[in-house]
Amino acid sequence: MRKVLLPSLIILATSLLVIRIFYLQIIDDTLKLKSDNNAIKIKYEYPERGYIYDRKGKLLVANQASYDIMVIPRELKNTDTLEFCQLLNITKEDFIKKIEKAKVYSPRLPSVFLPQLNKSEFAAFQEKIRKYQGFYFQKRSLRDYEVAFGANIFGFITQVNEKLVAKNPYYNSGDLIGRQGVEESYEDLLRGIKGVKYIQKDKYNREIGSYKDGKYDTIAVQGEDINLTLDAELQKYGEELMINKRGGIVAIEPKTGEILALVTAPSYDPGILVGRQRSKNYTQLYRDSIAKPLYDRGLLAEYPPGSPFKILTGLVALQEGVVDEQSTFMCRGGFSYGRGRFQKCHCKIFGNVKLHNGVYRSCNAYFSNAYLRTIGKYAKPAYAVDAWSNHVKSFGLGQFMGYDLPTGKKGNVPDSKTYKKVYPNGGWRGTTIISNAIGQGEVLMTPIQLANMMATVANEGYYYTPHIIKKIEGHKIDKKFTTKHVTTIDKKYFKPIISGLFDVYNMGTASALRVEGIDICGKTGTAENFARIDGKRIKLEDHSIFVAFAPKDNPKIAIAILVENGGYGAAIAGPIASLMIEKYLRQKITRVDLEKRILATSLQSRYAKLGGLSEAVKLQIRISDSLLKKKTIIPTVKVKTDTTKSNKQAI
């Protein structure tokens, strides 16, 4: 048996190899296409990218025709370089540099020599291109933005780099790919499928017809159209309100997790990243370390949440059973928690405080006491902090949220490991970390996390992962966006908190921001802001924060606003919240007094104290005069922000 087995295996393996070789060489012609590429020219037909619409079907991003001049270095013959350069308005040095770069990629494969010619440039060169062997046109489609807002949401398209070409066989040199925003997240759907034509050439390198009568040719398939959850009018309005300010606005539909608006300021007109000036404009935006217009503050900026975090402090204390609606604490203008340590409070109650008025007056004393009771419930503070941390994290905080945009930060929710690193020898307790109670400790949140927190409160204990995609024709959206996430807080504990948030507008810190006929629940916040300049820690103007949802019953919008250096929460962020909510629910504004004040408010002088106009500011002033109105990118402070552990009241 053993004598027969080995020869049998050898015969079987040899037979399989012979069959495979016969198939590849005689039956399958695909390898022949690759080996005969000296006699076969491959032409690609590029499809239109899918269109992008908002939640109501409004067209946001379409396409426009563009033409690239391609070059095959080995086919260049007797080129009149001077005439060629004059025709395309480039220098001889540029010509030589581009040809050398193409040779490095491949002497016999096409490379992009000059991208994105417009129709007039194409027409002028089309008459002459027959004189220049080795050059030809490649038609592509570029984005055509129907709106001048939402750049951070859309992203942009750009040429693939050599690293990606080597890694992904779909892309060739000069191909376009989506970067940032939905263009990157949904690249595989939006790009479509390239068509391929194989052209037979004779010995004189002349095209003589389709290879194998077009047997292997394929047609281009247009990219899929997508509908975003975005409300275009709300997004436009939010960007208008944030002109001459820095920060972010995020609005979410609580019942679905759909993102209604995602505003970052400063921003830019997406149209400036299309055409021959795209690279130059992008470089200016990218290198701008002052304004950072490519930095999406709604998703990336991590801030101490300030007083809105008291909502969670109260919910955790209720869940842990250390307080109830009738629990009372004394406020004497603040909270004393150790020798010489006093946490100021501006609630102006000066007496007994319960949960309800503690919420709408934003009382430090109440929530600091509630936090200490939560930490003091357990024998060891490490156990207590972990229990508290787990409750907070159940709201989607301290982690990447899993939304369908390619950038983000997870913020920070401290636990026992955090404090073991800070205090390796122990000795820490509730009073050591008391700043967490009012959102000024180690806690950090992004605006989208703040908005999701309010959506969760509006839903009385559950949320859906925020997402920007609403519909893709013929496809189902990812099931993770329709999966309900339930917090560790019982539903019954949300009602007293919501009652307090409702009275923030009726008799609390946002009473001047009411909108007649709309029941809004909200919370003001002010986060202290320090920067290190020339080695010194300097206090800057506080950040203005506001979170809200409306209507109180059956909420349809939850929102978070953070305005850097904006001062008290009710000063700038609060009015923006009221205006955005009314705009979405009514499609009109009745609080025109607030609207006029916010549109006229500029924080440019506050930012200018620490830095002059950046190149991005000058660029935006020069070219962005479109559907919104002329926008100005506001310079940011070129300093390192210092997250403080302040005990100051955050109203």
Side-chain angles (χ1 to χ4, degrees), residues 192-236:
I193 301 173
K194 287 185 291 190
V196 184
K197 290 184 178 181
Y198 298 96
I199 309 298
Q200 185 79 46
K201 297 187 291 184
D202 63 14
K203 63 180 181 180
Y204 299 107
N205 205 33
R206 295 176 301 194
E207 296 182 7
I208 57 176
S210 297
Y211 177 74
K212 295 281 188 180
D213 295 321
K215 176 182 177 181
Y216 299 103
D217 294 353
T218 60
I219 61 173
V221 179
Q222 183 172 347
E224 302 285 352
D225 295 342
I226 64 174
N227 284 77
L228 304 183
T229 62
L230 191 73
D231 184 297
E233 289 303 311
L234 188 67
Q235 177 74 22
K236 177 177 182 288

Side-chain angles (χ1 to χ4, degrees), residues 24 53 78 153 269 474 555 618 631:
L24 292 175
Y53 300 85
N78 304 319
I153 298 170
D269 181 349
K618 298 171 185 176
K631 277 176 155 182

Side-chain angles (χ1 to χ4, degrees), residues 42-46 68 70 105 109-112 136 138 140 158-177 191 194-196 198:
I42 299 175
K43 285 186 176 180
Y44 291 101
E45 180 184 352
Y46 289 87
D68 292 349
M70 309 294 291
Y105 170 69
L109 294 178
S111 296
V112 175
Y136 70 94
Q138 176 68 66
R140 303 183 195 270
T158 186
Q159 286 187 24
V160 294
N161 56 40
E162 294 179 7
K163 185 177 180 181
L164 182 61
V165 171
K167 182 180 178 181
N168 191 327
Y170 177 84
Y171 296 102
N172 298 309
S173 178
D175 283 3
L176 301 176
I177 189 172
R191 74 187 181 192
K194 287 185 291 190
V196 184
Y198 298 96

Side-chain angles (χ1 to χ4, degrees), residues 309 311-322 370-371 374-375 377-378 383-399 413-415 445 452-453 456-457 461-463 485-490 493-494:
F309 194 77
I311 296 169
L312 298 187
T313 301
L315 286 170
V316 173
L318 289 168
Q319 181 66 36
E320 289 292 320
V322 296
Y371 181 76
T374 301
I375 302 301
K377 176 182 176 181
Y378 296 85
Y383 296 156
V385 167
D386 285 340
W388 168 84
S389 180
N390 289 334
H391 285 307
V392 173
K393 288 177 180 177
S394 74
F395 285 75
L397 307 180
Q399 57 197 288
V413 176
D415 55 19
M445 294 171 65
N452 189 64
M453 179 192 81
T456 309
V457 174
Y462 71 88
Y463 70 91
H485 302 276
V486 181
T487 71
T488 58
I489 308 298
D490 294 341
Y493 294 125
F494 286 87

